[in-house]
Structures are given as C-alpha cells and as structure tokens.
Amino acid sequence: TVHAAWRDDPHDTVWHHYTGADPTDVGEIPVPTDGVPAEMSIALLAPGGALLDQRGWSEQFGQPPSDESDLQGLATRWLAEGESATVEFKQGLNSDPARRSFAETIAAFANGIGGVILVGVTDDAQIVGYKTDKTADQITNIARNLVVEPVALQTHEITLGESYVQAVIVPSGDPYRKPYRCRDRV
C-alpha cells in the first residue's frame, strides 16, 4: 500500500493525505496533488505493514523530484549532492586501476540497491568529460571481463556544460546471483 502526506506550502498547517492500492496490482499510482508540493513524504508498505521504501523532501531536507526520464537534470542534481551510497564519480577509464575501481563499484552497486556511475567527473564533482570512439562497448567489456556474474548495465551519454559524460546505471543484481565480485573480492 502507498501512503502519502504533503503540503503545498511549507508554512501550511494542514497536511493532505492519500492511501493507494498496491502498485504491483495497478502499476503506477497517481497521487492527487496540485503539482509538486513544497513538502512530501511517501511510504510503500508490504501487505503485513512492514515498510518497504520511504521517500520525501522538504525545504530543509532533500529536493523536489526531477523528471526521472531527464538524465541530464538528474546528473546535475547528483553533481550538486556529491557521491553517496548510490552515486559514484569516475574521472575516466584509461588505466588498469581506474577500470578495476569502476568494476568494483559496479559489483558493489549490484550487491546493494543499485546506483549510477558518472564517468567523466572527478571525485570533487568537476566535469572533465569522457568519450572514446566506442565508450559504451568499453564500459560493457569492463563489466563483462572484470565483474563475476553478468550485470545488466545501461549506459547513456549526456552533455554537461560542453563535455560528454557517461551515466552508467547499475541495477540491483539478481538475488540468486549475489554476491557480485570483482577479482574474487565482494
């Protein structure tokens, strides 16, 4: 079941509430707001009431959501927020240590809840760009050759400023294939 609470203005004293059906039964569940609220909390509960996931934002904490289909907008947000448990920056993939570190991050994200790796960005969120003749093939080959158990990566080339950056989306791995490893390290 989805439970949502929101208020349109951070100074409102009245919170709006919504409870929706199980999203596995109907796909997306629209929450009847009048646009993007100033503050919102959404929780997904299992049939027994256990919390499966919770998301939210307010003026003090987090940011309102962006269009998930807009990778450029999301990348701008990730750069502003910095690296986290689900976002990693890699300057390039030109050396063996860089490729190994990239593969280790893929394995780590696949063992967890997934994540995104921005290739062409330094650890301090400076955009340096990264593009080769066959960047997507290079990324796929690194994952195939260095990560034990196949990972279904998605690679998207986006433009940030005047540079090309590779957004590598790593899904949470198949639980029956975990743990994912890189050179026998989990």
Side-chain angles (χ1 to χ4, degrees), residues 51-107:
L51 180 66
L52 296 174
D53 195 9
Q54 183 173 4
R55 307 292 167 112
W57 66 86
S58 69
E59 281 189 346
Q60 292 82 20
F61 306 103
Q63 296 181 358
S66 12
D67 181 353
E68 291 291 327
S69 65
D70 177 20
L71 269 178
Q72 193 166 1
L74 285 171
T76 301
R77 189 176 103 200
W78 294 325
L79 289 169
E81 292 173 354
E83 292 182 312
S84 68
T86 58
V87 176
E88 184 79 18
F89 304 148
K90 300 292 181 190
Q91 185 168 337
L93 303 173
N94 296 327
S95 67
D96 284 339
R99 288 187 286 272
R100 187 171 44 255
S101 175
F102 178 71
E104 288 171 353
T105 302
I106 291 171

Side-chain angles (χ1 to χ4, degrees), residues 102 106-107 109-111 113-117 136 139-140 143-144 147-156 167-174 177 180:
F102 178 71
I106 291 171
F109 284 166
N111 283 326
I113 62 170
V116 64
I117 305 167
I139 289 168
T140 300
R144 184 179 299 133
V147 179
V148 177
E149 296 298 338
V151 180
L153 302 175
Q154 295 179 22
T155 303
H156 304 274
V168 181
I169 312 298
V170 181
S172 179
D174 181 341
R177 293 181 178 234
Y180 291 81

